[in-house]
Amino acid sequence: KEKGLDKQEIQNILIEDARTGLSVEALKRAIQNNLFYVQGKFPEIATRNDYYMAVSYAVRDRILNRWVASVKQYLDGKHRVVSYLSAEYLLGPHLANNLINLGIYKETEQAVKELGKDLEWLIEKEIEPGLGNGGLGRLAACYMDSLATLEVPAIGYGIRYQFGIFEQDIRDGWQVEDTDNWLRRGNPWEIERRELNYEVKFGGHVQHYTDNNGKFCSNWIPDLVVKGVAYDTPILGYKVNTTNTLRLWKSEAPKSFDFQLFNAGGYNDAVRQKIVCENISKVLYPNDEQEEGKILRLRQQYFFVSCSLQDMLGIHLRQGDKIQDFHKKFVVQLNDTHPAVGVAELMRLLLDKYGLEWDEAWDITTKTFAYTNHTLLPEALEKWDLELFGKVLPRHLELVYEINRRFLDQVTVKFYGDHQKISSLSLIGEGPRKFIKMANLASLGSYAINGVAALHTDLLKKTVLKDWYELSPEKFSNKTNGVTPRRWMVLSNPELTQLISDKIGDGWIKNLDELRGLEQFAKDKNFQKAWMEVKYNQKVALSKRILQRVKIKTDSNSIFDVHVKRMHEYKRQMLNALHVITLYNRIKHNPEIDMVPRTVIFAGKAAPGYRMAKLIIKLITSIGEVVNNDPDVKDRLKVVFYPNYNVTNAQKIYPAADLSEQISTAGKEASGTGNMKLSLNGALTIGTLDGANVEIRECVGAENFFLFGLDADQVEEVKANGYDPYSHYQNNPDLKLAIDQINDGYFSHLNKDTFKALVRSLLYDDQYLVLADYQSYIDAQDKVAETFRDKEKWAEMSIINVARMGKFSSDRSIRDYCQEIWKVEPIPVSLEK
Ligand code: PLP
Ligand code: GLG
């Protein structure tokens, strides 16, 4: 009334404000409203989850207007769009991240407090969507964040797995897996779009005929048709309006029930059909870096790729654009070879559905796709048994044959007589059983190919994709991975964020290079003290969680030595375990030894079928049991295996780390991203010259990095010269003692069988050169301990380390992709009044 508004106008403002307003008052009202109107509860009977949902819906409302504005803007301007195809997205919890990106964390905290609840307590309630295995899926999530933050029109496509990565529990020291029923309490962040659905065909056979115009046509008669339904999750950028879409497909039966079958008494068949359809998006394959040639996996890949391409084509044509211009509208990035069947699928759609000629279709296809390779490990390179492929996708098999025939014709002319090269380039591998090489299909069908760290791209060109590099060097480039500082600093380490922002302002959150400004304070004693205090507080917080979760007491003054990532032999948790045993033996040998106290923290899931990785978990927990309970140790050494490593837990662990273990066999870790997150949170790295470690070391300076071990060339050389792990064992008394103890049952209640397979593998095979790098690793660890004694020195190194990590923001990676591969421009989004 004071401002001359009438009652109706005031009413309108109140309604508007409750949906989009960012003030404490508006948020409070929105939460109360949602509690009542969405959850159907009132405070006296509302559960913690009711409150979590009410807050989440309040936040989602504030994202929706930005989302709608973004979509409108993109459609109006007919802008070029990045389409990211990934079988995995390891997003992590949404609520806190969205609060940070909206810039209303404090306001929401206050609103929730005024309602008598604690925001932190609600945030902890969220079950994270674990729709990925590890680094590859998490990278996709960081890239979605950066795309939105950089205001780049983008859509992420993937699978809405009903069950994500399994939950890990440790029982009697062994990993046990539990299904991840992440949707059990509902998901306030997704919007089901039932109207957006596509049919996807499987199996059957292909008919060929000539139409009235004399055109040769193909008609695929499937024996199974599945429906893919879109579920959209908004991805909001940091302090911008841009809100992109993550579109995940759920598989369903096209008709919920076949009543004809049912009435005819075929109840089981009717139900079975429905189950077969729903199974496709039922569960994430829990293997990291190990491909499973299972029918269901191929179905998953084709299912989401087909839905996504049909969706893109629909968006394109609805805008009134010509099919021939598809590649001008969309660039499709293949996150590894998992979506590589898209090359054949786009060909099929252009030829069979839209009636294009082969050359035209191939031209569009090869201007649409770009391919990122994430691994050099042979067991991770996807191959599909040709017969199986043909059973699931008969039309695509024909297309792959034809693509290959035309390609080999060219190649044969170019490399006449070089059978080795021609067969290596072929899309089809020969052998007792023929197979399709997905990396070759991706490489041929893409106009750009990239590795994920400088060393990795180099090795790609020299090994796995050597012939492709020689054929088309112009396609290749490097795009070193990055991580989003929003989730991995602002959200997970608010204390350090505050300390840094107090010193250099908060521009670094969007422009990570600004961290450089910290370097001038590296020697400042007060700043060092404040820096180490923040670290100490994070360690205390983690200690509490450790005590609660695994009942182990840890000393927050000890070095927090952190080795967290998937369990895999190439990541060499085994090497770390040998170091722990060596430290333990030093204490046993000399109980009064003056040793820098250490807490060695492991976390990571092993693929359920990966026997050796599971045995290494058992070894670590067994060493822990002995070390943690030996009175001689007197708290100088603790070993923790923190269960269920996921994004939620990673956010708690990284900030508390002093030392980051990045100790893979050189040449095996394509990049790593955990290395970046730990370093950004002030941990110093002990590592090999592998993956992005090489670049991290270049940036932070060799003097601030604990380097050890063979480099990639030396690894190859040692192997070529007939590596003999046993001689290392024989010639190194400390190493011998450690392995003998494992073998003799010292850590397994004198049971000599428990670790037999492990010991045998180390002594007689040791593919990952654990024994070859042992002494060099121990020496580097001793240097770590000596350095840690000097707190000021350590603080200085840690500050410099963070100051020089600017390069590893995913914003930098995405900017490089945009400029050098995707050729897309940012489109700022404004909110309509
Ligand atoms: N798993 C989770 C939950 C992560 O947050 C990360 C971080 O990048 C990874 C796996 C990958 O770790 P690394 O790069 O050390 O293999
Ligand atoms: C792979 C690699 C990692 C890499 C990640 C993202 O093994 O080294 O950091 O992709 O590019 N399976 C993975 O996590």
Side-chain angles (χ1 to χ4, degrees), residues 304-434:
F304 99 87
V305 165
S306 178
C307 289
S308 308
L309 282 168
Q310 292 185 60
D311 194 46
M312 284 177 250
L313 284 162
I315 293 172
H316 178 67
L317 294 175
R318 273 199 302 280
Q319 288 188 345
D321 291 321
K322 286 195 312 198
I323 189 100
Q324 282 81 358
D325 289 339
F326 180 68
H327 60 280
K328 293 183 188 158
K329 173 80 187 176
F330 283 102
V331 49
V332 180
Q333 189 69 34
L334 304 172
N335 197 24
D336 215 297
T337 56
H338 314 146
V341 68
V343 172
E345 173 66 357
L346 184 56
M347 283 300 284
R348 184 188 72 85
L349 289 165
L350 295 177
L351 294 169
D352 298 356
K353 185 163 176 193
Y354 295 101
L356 266 50
E357 295 297 330
W358 183 279
D359 288 338
E360 200 174 22
W362 185 243
D363 186 57
I364 295 169
T365 299
T366 48
K367 282 178 178 160
T368 298
F369 290 102
Y371 158 50
T372 306
N373 172 289
H374 293 267
T375 186
L376 302 161
L377 297 188
E379 65 267 36
L381 289 175
E382 276 194 303
K383 296 181 178 80
W384 287 108
D385 183 274
L386 192 125
E387 208 181 302
L388 179 145
F389 190 92
K391 274 195 186 137
V392 179
L393 303 170
R395 177 63 182 138
H396 298 77
L397 180 58
E398 289 181 356
L399 291 168
V400 169
Y401 267 129
E402 183 58 15
I403 294 169
N404 200 38
R405 187 186 66 77
R406 290 171 183 247
F407 173 56
L408 289 186
D409 277 352
Q410 293 171 10
V411 167
T412 310
V413 172
K414 189 159 180 169
F415 303 112
Y416 186 73
D418 190 345
H419 298 296
Q420 165 83 34
K421 195 180 212 83
I422 295 169
S423 95
S424 136
L425 283 169
S426 173
L427 304 189
I428 294 164
E430 306 286 337
R433 293 185 70 86
K434 288 190 179 180

Side-chain angles (χ1 to χ4, degrees), residues 603-614:
K605 292 172 185 174
Y610 190 170
R611 184 163 151 256
M612 205 58 96
K614 289 179 130 175

Side-chain angles (χ1 to χ4, degrees), residues 134-136 139 288-289 374-375 452 481 570-571 669-673:
L136 176 141
L139 186 77
D288 190 62
E289 305 271 15
H374 293 267
T375 186
V452 289
N481 286 164
Y570 85 78
K571 292 177 183 278
E669 186 73 271
S671 163
T673 46

Side-chain angles (χ1 to χ4, degrees), residues 542-554:
L542 181 60
S543 288
K544 270 195 199 145
R545 285 180 187 273
I546 290 173
L547 184 62
Q548 212 175 20
R549 188 68 182 81
V550 291
K551 312 279 177 278
I552 297 171
K553 265 200 189 138
T554 50

Side-chain angles (χ1 to χ4, degrees), residues 32-82:
Q32 282 170 318
N33 275 348
N34 286 333
L35 195 62
F36 191 89
Y37 291 110
V38 182
Q39 295 304 106
K41 292 281 184 81
F42 50 92
E44 286 76 9
I45 60 161
T47 64
R48 183 176 172 189
N49 190 54
D50 291 326
Y51 271 102
Y52 163 76
M53 296 294 268
V55 173
S56 297
Y57 281 119
V59 173
R60 193 181 84 175
D61 280 345
R62 280 142 186 84
I63 296 176
L64 283 182
N65 58 333
R66 289 166 171 77
W67 196 8
V68 169
S70 304
V71 173
K72 268 193 187 163
Q73 195 120 348
Y74 297 166
L75 291 181
D76 288 352
K78 300 192 173 180
H79 300 290
R80 187 164 160 78
V81 177
V82 177

Side-chain angles (χ1 to χ4, degrees), residues 238 485-486 500-501 504-515 811:
Y238 177 71
R486 271 75 64 183
I500 293 173
S501 296
I504 62 168
D506 63 5
W508 60 275
I509 297 170
K510 270 200 155 182
N511 177 12
L512 204 61
D513 286 325
E514 287 185 21
L515 285 177
D811 298 344

Side-chain angles (χ1 to χ4, degrees), residues 21 28 74 119 127 351 510 628 708:
K28 204 166 104 185
Y74 297 166
L119 179 62
I127 307 173
L351 294 169
K510 270 200 155 182
N628 300 342
F708 77 95

Side-chain angles (χ1 to χ4, degrees), residues 547-661:
L547 184 62
Q548 212 175 20
R549 188 68 182 81
V550 291
K551 312 279 177 278
I552 297 171
K553 265 200 189 138
T554 50
D555 170 8
S556 301
N557 285 307
S558 64
I559 306 182
F560 272 31
D561 175 346
V562 171
H563 200 166
V564 293
K565 48 185 77 245
R566 286 297 290 250
M567 301 299 297
H568 201 299
E569 286 163 283
Y570 85 78
K571 292 177 183 278
R572 296 201 295 193
Q573 283 91 355
M574 188 62 218
L575 182 56
N576 191 342
L578 288 171
H579 172 242
V580 173
I581 298 176
T582 303
L583 289 183
Y584 173 71
N585 286 337
R586 283 183 192 166
I587 296 172
K588 294 303 277 184
H589 184 72
N590 174 9
E592 298 313 314
I593 192 170
D594 172 25
M595 204 183 98
V596 179
R598 234 188 237 257
T599 303
V600 187
I601 300 166
F602 293 89
K605 292 172 185 174
Y610 190 170
R611 184 163 151 256
M612 205 58 96
K614 289 179 130 175
L615 198 51
I616 294 172
I617 293 179
K618 174 66 177 168
L619 177 65
I620 291 166
T621 53
S622 304
I623 295 170
E625 212 180 295
V626 171
V627 170
N628 300 342
N629 297 310
D630 187 329
D632 286 351
V633 174
K634 295 203 195 85
D635 292 344
R636 282 168 292 183
L637 183 60
K638 282 281 159 73
V639 184
V640 174
F641 190 93
Y642 197 94
N644 203 35
Y645 186 55
N646 57 10
V647 174
T648 306
N649 288 327
Q651 286 175 196
K652 305 293 180 198
I653 297 172
Y654 293 143
D658 291 309
L659 185 66
S660 161
E661 297 272 354

